[in-house]
Amino acid sequence: MRPKRRQPAIDFQRFELRCALPYNGLRFKARIAMFRLHLFVCTQQKPEGAPSCSASGSLSVLECLDREIQARGLAGEVQLTTCGCMGLCEEGPILVVYPDGVWYRRVQATDVSEIVASHLCGRRPVERLAWTDAAARQAMSLEHAEKFRATMAARDKAGTLPDRLHQIIRGYMPSRCLLTAIELDLFTVVGNGATAEQAAAAIQANPRALAMLLNALVALGLLTKNGGVFHNTPESARYFARGSKDNHRDGLLHTANIWHRWSNLTEAVRLGAGIPVERASTPEWTEHFIAAMQYNAKERAPAVVAAVGTAGIHRILDLGGGSGIYSIAFAQASPNLRCEILDLPQVVPLTAGYVERAGVVSQVAIRAGDMLQDDLGSGFDLVLLNAICHMFSPQQNLQLFRRARQALSPGGRLVVQDFILNPDKTGPLHAVLFSLNMLVGTGSGASYSEPEFTYWMTSAGFTDVCRINLPGPSDLIVGHAP
Ligand SMILES: C[S@@+](CC[C@H](N)C(=O)[O-])C[C@H]1O[C@@H](n2cnc3c(N)ncnc32)[C@H](O)[C@@H]1O
Ligand code: FES
């Protein structure tokens, strides 16, 4: 008979939990460290105009709490968690501290130091902010729940479009505002502060129209406005303005470019392939495309090197290497390793620039060619296909895997990285949307599922095919050449 599970005895004051864990019929005593205090900050968002904790500034409160908790070395004993609406929205931001059962209302970022010093450190709740009238709290919460149910019932009866559908339908509006701002290099122009007229003069735009866009960017939380002067938020200055080391503008211009392809989605679905857009053949398009690939792979490249390892690898063939980021990462991980990148002629000069800037010219060779047709060479220990298969049809991929197999030495590996669909192809969302990105952008590309990758691998003669999950949206499929 299985032993009966005993309820854990929680002694919050001593920050630990003692419980009896049933395991294979034996019972072990476990002592698990627990948090002394648990903080809940409501970060619920509501439709514009409706009162909510997030609209009253709970995200800044959360950020300040996190900072202050870290700074005072309390992270191991105080757990900070976000939570949804508690029906007290008019009194927000709401913060609850357990096990003390202290409810704070209308907390602002400027109150955080006092709460942390007095309550979290000194166990003395801040009386001026504590909401001690439990009956009033409960009444407000119940009234709110009742109103909410009545509103939902009335909307349902009237056949009103639900907010979730509204958000999907109008999702392009905020996206388009930001992409246009990036195209106009507005965040650089706003710099340390500019009026709409000054910004319009700098980029030769219409002042009335630009003011409308700048105001929308303020509403989206991407700029601030003070006395008619617009400023970058710290986030916008960091990611979108020239001069910042984390500026992603070059790569994001690729997203702005593919917007034009996505506007043809309806036609592409009718025809079964993307409609060519004129701007796609320009050198600027290619430059932004490769920059976007480089930004996307910055975090992934070290993860791929760690997952694949460098032991026993002397020669790597990096097909469609783009910015060369994976070859560069392998070369930097092992000085004796040599890589060969094969890419299209128009990309090769860009690849050469990236390889040179990384200082690995002696280890990384670059060759112009077509991976579907040209000789791939032989004797490689590793063939890389990072973000490649989604450009091609299933037949082309099968052919490509066979060609990769020929290029490998016995015991070599083919490493494929891509957004991998579930077997029924309805998820994950990023892979499903990316499949449409390939529909509008290529003749026969798509996202593919693990069974499809495995089928191409085994049909091409690879053995021990396995999937390696990486942090982030893409994973590896690895096959061994016998
Ligand atoms: C999506 S990017 C991936 C780049 C790189 N592997 C990465 O993950 O960052 C696809 C790359 O394949 C290259 N490419 C496309 N078709 C090719 C072909 N037929 N032969 C060689 N390279 C090709 C493109 O120029 C581009 O650099
Ligand atoms: S939004 Fe925070 S309590 Fe309702």
Side-chain angles (χ1 to χ4, degrees), residues 20-310:
L21 300 172
Y23 181 71
N24 280 351
L26 299 169
R27 294 168 78 89
F28 292 95
K29 284 264 182 205
R31 289 163 76 93
I32 301 168
M34 289 288 291
F35 292 103
R36 175 167 63 87
L37 293 170
H38 196 157
L39 271 55
F40 295 89
V41 180
C42 172
T43 52
Q44 181 77 50
Q45 296 190 335
K46 301 253 165 133
E48 226 172 343
S52 72
C53 290
S54 63
S56 341
S58 65
L59 287 169
S60 324
V61 172
L62 181 74
E63 222 177 285
C64 290
L65 272 169
D66 186 43
R67 233 188 350 252
E68 195 82 19
I69 287 169
Q70 299 287 338
R72 287 178 178 263
L74 295 173
E77 45 183 300
V78 176
Q79 189 176 34
L80 181 61
T81 316
T82 60
C83 70
C85 180
M86 292 180 270
L88 307 169
C89 329
E90 286 87 354
E91 298 292 326
I94 298 287
L95 160 67
V96 191
V97 182
Y98 277 115
D100 300 358
V102 174
W103 293 63
Y104 289 111
R105 60 177 162 174
R106 298 184 188 179
V107 179
Q108 290 303 308
T110 45
D111 302 319
V112 165
S113 306
E114 188 181 350
I115 293 174
V116 173
S118 174
H119 191 163
L120 308 193
C121 297
R123 302 307 294 263
R124 289 182 313 278
V126 178
E127 278 175 25
R128 67 181 183 86
L129 295 167
W131 192 3
T132 49
D133 189 345
R137 273 197 331 254
Q138 188 182 14
M140 183 180 276
S141 184
L142 289 173
E143 190 193 345
H144 178 276
E146 211 167 292
K147 263 196 217 158
F148 178 74
R149 277 185 220 109
T151 309
M152 295 315 280
R155 289 183 69 171
D156 187 52
K157 196 169 167 204
T160 308
L161 206 57
D163 291 340
R164 189 183 75 85
L165 299 185
H166 261 304
Q167 267 172 14
I168 297 176
I169 288 164
R170 295 181 184 162
Y172 67 90
M173 290 187 185
S175 164
R176 189 59 256 179
C177 285
L178 179 51
L179 292 177
T180 293
I182 286 168
E183 282 181 340
L184 296 172
D185 204 4
L186 259 191
F187 299 101
T188 303
V189 169
V190 163
N192 294 327
T195 62
E197 290 72 23
Q198 288 166 337
I203 57 168
Q204 282 114 47
N206 177 285
R208 184 186 80 92
L210 187 65
M212 288 161 78
L213 177 62
L214 289 165
N215 287 332
L217 293 168
V218 173
L220 287 167
L222 298 164
L223 291 178
T224 59
K225 184 180 182 182
N226 202 338
V229 180
F230 294 90
H231 290 271
N232 285 320
T233 60
E235 206 178 41
S236 300
R238 178 172 177 192
Y239 297 115
F240 306 140
R242 242 184 283 160
S244 155
K245 82 170 173 46
D246 293 328
N247 174 20
H248 279 241
R249 182 171 178 263
D250 279 356
L252 293 172
L253 283 170
H254 175 63
T255 311
N257 282 340
I258 56 178
W259 164 276
H260 299 277
R261 287 178 169 164
W262 273 85
S263 348
N264 292 328
L265 177 62
T266 310
E267 206 50 19
V269 169
R270 286 207 178 95
L271 295 174
I275 318 288
V277 292
E278 220 173 90
R279 58 171 69 202
S281 48
T282 62
E284 288 77 23
W285 176 292
T286 308
E287 200 176 311
H288 298 321
F289 170 51
I290 297 303
M293 295 304 102
Q294 203 259 356
Y295 285 122
N296 291 345
K298 258 186 180 172
E299 266 184 34
R300 288 182 215 159
V304 170
V305 176
V308 173
T310 53

